């Protein structure tokens, strides 16, 4: 009897959520929402939980929010899971986080995972060479296994910072340009004088499109909403290149405390300022 009541209650909540999303869909729905998962350690301390438990509860929160986003029709979800700067934490904490990450990455391939429920393609974004071998190999396995999924996209930023992303893109663009200049270019320039010099310099010019072609996040459009929990408004070196025309939302709730009401409020605010954001994007 108790199971039937629980099942009925769950079905009712799901039905009410679908009705709510139907109302929201009357307005513009964001195509891409990015999250900075801030407050896991503070949540654990606040609740007197063991070390690392905040991150485990935070993963459950992430799963719920991903489900809500995909039900609403948000195609791209990006999460800032692990910064390059996080490697500066105590070695024991970093190892615990790597172990948890490995466990959750491997869980993405399970039949009942949200990845399979919603046909999600998974990308791991960042300098993956900095990850230990088991985590990196698991990430590559998930990306390969979900490569044919196209209903929704999940981008997990690990070993990531925007400064590293931009530096990487600039280096790759320079190498690409260098490869475009034929070996005979210098000799030709010497023979043909100033005109050839101008042509040569044109080959070496790095344009905006060259950088964006090599940016880690080039597989997704710029975010429409960037959510940073804990009431913080700092971007902490996250999506600096991509966030100039998106809505920034900073609820006071710690990451494990964030829920449906926060997502709905973010979408309502996005719909309110959508005309302004679109105008700004056209000006960029």
């Amino acid at each position: 009897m108790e199971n039937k009541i629980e099942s009925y209650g769950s079905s009712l909540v799901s039905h009410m959520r679908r009705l709510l999303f139907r109302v929201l869909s009357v307005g513009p729905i964001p195509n891409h929402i990015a999250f900075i998962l801030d407050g896991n350690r503070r949540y654990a301390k606040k609740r007197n939980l063991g070390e690392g438990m905040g991150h485990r509860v935070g993963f459950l929160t992430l799963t719920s929010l991903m489900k809500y986003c995909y039900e609403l029709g948000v195609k791209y979800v990006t999460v800032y899971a692990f910064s390059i700067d996080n490697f500066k934490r105590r070695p024991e904490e970093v190892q615990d986080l790597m172990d948890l990450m490995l466990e959750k990455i491997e869980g993405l391939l399970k039949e009942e995972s949200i990845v399979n429920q919603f046909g999600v393609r998974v990308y791991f974004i960042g300098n993956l060479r900095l990850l230990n071998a088991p985590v990196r190999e698991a990430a590559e396995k998930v990306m390969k296994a979900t490569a044919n999924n196209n209903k929704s996209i999940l981008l997990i930023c690990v070993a990531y910072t925007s400064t590293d992303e931009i530096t990487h893109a600039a280096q790759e663009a320079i190498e690409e340009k260098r490869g475009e200049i034929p070996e005979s270019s210098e000799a030709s320039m010497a023979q043909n004088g100033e005109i050839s010099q101008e042509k040569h310099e044109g080959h070496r010019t790095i344009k905006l499109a060259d950088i964006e072609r090599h940016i880690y996040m080039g597989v997704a459009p710029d975010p429409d909403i960037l959510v940073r929990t804990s009431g913080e408004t700092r971007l902490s070196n996250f999506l600096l290149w991509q966030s100039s025309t998106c809505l920034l939302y900073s609820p006071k709730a710690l990451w494990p405390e964030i829920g449906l009401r926060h997502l709905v409020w973010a979408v309502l605010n996005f719909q309110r300022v959508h005309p302004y954001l679109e105008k700004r994007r056209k000006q960029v």
Side-chain angles (χ1 to χ4, degrees):
M1 183 67 178
E2 289 182 2
N3 289 339
K4 287 185 178 180
I5 293 175
E6 185 177 336
S7 177
Y8 175 76
S10 178
S11 297
L12 181 61
V13 170
S14 296
H15 179 66
M16 294 297 291
R17 189 171 64 245
R18 285 195 295 270
L19 288 177
L20 173 61
F21 288 167
R22 187 171 296 180
V23 173
L24 280 177
S25 64
V26 172
I29 296 298
N31 188 41
H32 185 179
I33 300 181
F35 296 95
I36 299 177
L37 320 183
D38 190 22
N40 288 320
R41 291 189 294 176
R42 275 170 285 172
Y43 176 85
K45 187 175 181 180
K46 178 180 174 182
R47 300 296 179 96
N48 294 317
L49 300 175
E51 189 173 353
M53 286 304 296
H55 291 91
R56 290 188 175 275
V57 178
F59 180 80
L60 296 177
T61 299
L62 172 60
T63 302
S64 295
L65 277 210
M66 285 168 54
K67 178 180 178 182
Y68 300 153
C69 284
Y70 296 143
E71 286 180 348
L72 180 58
V74 178
K75 180 160 187 176
Y76 295 87
V77 173
T78 297
V79 296
Y80 199 7
F82 194 86
S83 165
I84 290 176
D85 295 332
N86 291 151
F87 284 111
K88 298 175 184 177
R89 294 181 180 179
R90 292 182 297 107
E92 300 83 6
E93 184 180 355
V94 172
Q95 186 57 52
D96 287 343
L97 289 173
M98 288 294 116
D99 291 343
L100 177 62
M101 196 181 301
L102 178 60
E103 175 189 327
K104 299 308 179 184
I105 290 173
E106 291 175 341
L108 292 175
L109 293 179
K110 292 182 179 178
E111 188 174 345
E112 70 276 10
S113 76
I114 193 168
V115 165
N116 290 314
Q117 288 179 34
F118 290 90
V120 179
R121 180 170 187 175
V122 181
Y123 289 96
F124 286 87
I125 304 294
N127 191 347
L128 303 187
R129 293 172 299 176
L130 298 178
L131 299 172
N132 62 36
V135 174
R136 184 174 60 254
E137 289 166 7
E140 290 170 351
K141 184 177 179 181
V142 169
M143 287 192 285
K144 184 176 180 180
T146 63
N148 293 325
N149 294 350
N150 56 19
K151 291 182 180 178
S152 306
I153 309 294
L154 172 63
L155 302 105
I156 304 173
C157 294
V158 291
Y160 171 94
T161 60
S162 275
T163 48
D164 178 74
E165 176 182 38
I166 295 167
T167 301
H168 163 81
Q171 290 172 339
E172 290 294 312
I174 290 169
E175 287 301 315
E176 183 181 60
K177 286 293 181 180
R178 186 175 294 163
E180 290 176 359
I181 301 173
E183 293 181 4
S184 58
S185 175
E186 298 295 335
S188 174
M189 184 173 58
Q191 292 174 5
N192 299 326
E194 191 175 329
I195 296 177
S196 185
Q197 171 73 30
E198 291 175 0
K199 199 172 187 181
H200 179 71
E201 291 301 324
H203 275 297
R204 289 194 173 187
T205 301
I206 303 296
K207 299 179 181 178
L208 180 64
D210 298 319
I211 299 292
E212 293 191 330
R213 188 161 56 251
H214 296 286
I215 216 86
Y216 290 146
M217 286 290 294
V219 295
D222 291 349
D224 299 298
I225 304 175
L226 196 158
V227 180
R228 165 109 191 216
T229 50
S230 305
E232 295 284 352
T233 53
R234 296 175 292 110
L235 295 185
S236 295
N237 217 341
F238 179 56
L239 301 188
L240 301 182
W241 185 273
Q242 298 87 357
S243 58
S244 61
T245 58
C246 75
L247 171 70
L248 302 179
Y249 174 50
S250 305
K252 291 184 178 180
L254 302 175
W255 172 252
E257 298 169 338
I258 197 172
L260 178 61
R261 65 188 179 91
H262 299 97
L263 177 63
V264 170
W265 186 247
V267 172
L268 287 172
N269 274 295
F270 167 76
Q271 292 178 340
R272 178 176 58 84
V273 299
H274 183 256
Y276 170 76
L277 295 176
E278 285 298 295
K279 182 179 178 181
R280 286 280 296 134
R281 284 176 175 171
K282 290 176 182 177
Q283 291 173 347
V284 173

